[in-house]
Amino acid sequence: MGVDVLLVLFVSVLFLSSNKGNSQPLVPALFVFGDSVVDVGNNNHLETVVKSNFPPYGRDFTGHHPTGRFCNGKLASDFTGENLGFTSYPPAILSKEANGNNLLLGANFASAGSGYYETTAKLYNTISLSKQLGYYKEYQKKLVTIAGKSNATSIITGSIYLLSSGSSDFVQNYYINPLLYKVYTPYQFSDILIQAYSHFIQELYGLGARKIGVSTLPPIGCLPASITLFGEDSNECVTKMNTVAMYFNKKLNATSVSLKSKLSGLNLVVLDIYHPLNDLIQKPTDYGFFEARKACCGTGLVETSFLCNKESPGTCANATEYVFWDGFHPSEAANKILAADLLLDGISLVS
């Protein structure tokens, strides 16, 4: 029996034992920060073009309606919440659901089009990570009012925090922005992003977070939009972009080790999204997929946000056959597989 199988069994036993006779999740709450990979609808409430609150987004989600998730169904973070034992999802902090007892489950602060680089969010009028932290500070005050100071402290320190960021900084800013790519090499830009990441983790730690999972960059050169925009008429992944992503991820790992040694009691886990997603892309049929180059929605080229809509030509009938839903984001079927890998990476956050 492989180590991965044993870990899955361990988590299953842990989950079942924690739920025997009640429905308590493994941690008090779940907090999510970052970009479109984990945004559950905050951008619905912003004046921005980066939205997904219209069909065909959400067509395979509960109720078959768009929620603001950049997917046909559930995100990897949704599956993660389910794996932790939650029966509902942390509400988008800007939504009307983000009030009262709903806040005891945590909250989602993520905003599509944001990144580690503050200007990325400004370009698209979305919520930067620093503003996401500002909303989290306001959340903490509400939590004290709802749960009392002692309970609020227990929730804050005992909960899991997920961070997914960086892809928009490269694909939707650096590589299309001469003000950046003419000034910095992609490796210099990576170093700037890593500094911002380090600052964010220290700020979050200062606000009480102790169990933090941060996802690596995916193989950004394999996103259908990247292949279309930067692939020079090739149908293959853009190697130079993936090389940068691997450089960034190496720095992310090293910086995370350094932060753990510096910040007492911090459990900071790097969640590898690069290799599992790359496996799906390179060997789709091994996982039951039919298509890994084109996306389901539209032509599968650069569609995302308003370019993927109910008028999009050729949107596929069965998204379970596709690794990508739109030009940037995995399908629900791919997210389910990725979430299983995230669970294995993040086991120490719940043990």
Side-chain angles (χ1 to χ4, degrees):
M1 186 177 286
V3 175
D4 285 1
V5 176
L6 285 170
L7 277 172
V8 171
L9 285 172
F10 170 71
V11 173
S12 301
V13 169
L14 198 64
F15 173 68
L16 288 169
S17 63
S18 75
N19 283 274
K20 206 170 185 178
N22 59 49
S23 56
Q24 286 296 108
L26 296 175
V27 291
L30 182 63
F31 299 98
V32 184
F33 299 84
D35 55 21
S36 61
V37 175
V38 289
D39 185 353
V40 296
N42 282 314
N43 279 23
N44 297 355
H45 308 277
L46 304 176
E47 291 294 325
T48 176
V49 296
V50 190
K51 291 190 179 187
S52 59
N53 56 343
F54 45 80
Y57 286 103
R59 71 178 196 189
D60 300 313
F61 194 73
T62 309
H64 307 288
H65 65 273
T67 61
R69 288 167 172 81
F70 286 77
C71 188
N72 60 302
K74 296 175 185 176
L75 306 176
S77 53
D78 293 326
F79 286 114
T80 298
E82 291 175 7
N83 290 337
L84 291 170
F86 291 98
T87 54
S88 58
Y89 308 115
I93 197 62
L94 298 185
S95 70
K96 64 180 186 296
E97 289 77 31
N99 62 61
N101 286 345
N102 288 345
L103 294 178
L104 295 173
L105 298 172
N108 185 301
F109 304 89
S111 176
S114 70
Y116 290 118
Y117 198 63
E118 284 284 300
T119 312
T120 302
K122 287 180 184 173
L123 278 177
Y124 297 98
N125 195 36
T126 59
I127 312 168
S128 66
L129 281 179
S130 63
K131 284 186 179 176
Q132 290 180 36
L133 277 178
Y135 281 122
Y136 177 62
K137 290 175 187 175
E138 291 175 18
Y139 163 88
Q140 286 192 340
K141 291 175 187 173
K142 292 179 184 176
L143 186 63
V144 170
T145 303
I146 297 163
K149 186 154 190 179
S150 177
N151 286 336
T153 300
S154 296
I155 290 169
I156 287 163
T157 56
S159 296
I160 287 179
Y161 297 74
L162 297 178
L163 170 61
S164 170
S165 196
S167 294
S168 295
D169 290 317
F170 283 103
V171 183
Q172 292 167 277
N173 193 357
Y174 177 82
Y175 282 110
I176 60 170
N177 187 350
L179 295 176
L180 290 177
Y181 68 69
K182 286 190 175 180
V183 178
Y184 306 109
T185 69
Y187 303 101
Q188 289 170 332
F189 187 63
S190 291
D191 293 344
I192 292 170
L193 299 185
I194 289 296
Q195 287 177 348
Y197 159 69
S198 177
H199 179 74
F200 178 84
I201 294 298
Q202 290 176 79
E203 289 270 302
L204 197 56
Y205 175 88
L207 293 169
R210 291 298 179 268
K211 301 177 179 182
I212 306 173
V214 56
S215 62
T216 64
L217 279 184
I220 54 175
C222 294
L223 303 179
S226 296
I227 292 172
T228 301
L229 293 170
F230 313 111
E232 298 173 353
D233 297 326
S234 166
N235 195 35
E236 298 303 312
C237 296
V238 185
T239 303
K240 64 182 180 182
M241 294 178 75
N242 282 350
T243 302
V244 170
M246 287 188 284
Y247 171 87
F248 176 91
N249 292 342
K250 188 175 179 182
K251 285 270 188 172
L252 185 75
N253 274 287
T255 302
S256 299
V257 170
S258 174
L259 286 166
K260 281 178 71 173
S261 68
K262 186 165 72 171
L263 302 174
S264 175
L266 174 63
N267 187 357
L268 178 58
V269 176
V270 176
L271 307 169
D272 176 24
I273 208 87
Y274 185 100
H275 292 97
L277 183 54
N278 195 51
D279 279 348
L280 293 185
I281 293 164
Q282 303 304 332
K283 300 176 288 187
T285 55
D286 287 4
Y287 298 89
F289 294 99
F290 165 74
E291 177 61 69
R293 285 292 182 267
K294 291 181 180 177
C296 171
C297 188
T299 62
L301 301 179
V302 296
E303 282 84 3
T304 188
S305 194
F306 64 94
L307 293 174
C308 169
N309 56 61
K310 61 184 179 181
E311 307 298 331
S312 296
T315 299
C316 74
N318 188 359
T320 60
E321 297 177 346
Y322 285 71
V323 173
F324 289 100
W325 164 247
D326 66 17
F328 292 89
H329 305 100
S331 65
E332 179 185 81
N335 281 331
K336 187 170 188 177
I337 293 171
L338 295 173
D341 285 291
L342 294 180
L343 182 65
L344 296 175
D345 281 352
I347 188 71
S348 69
L349 293 175
V350 296
S351 58

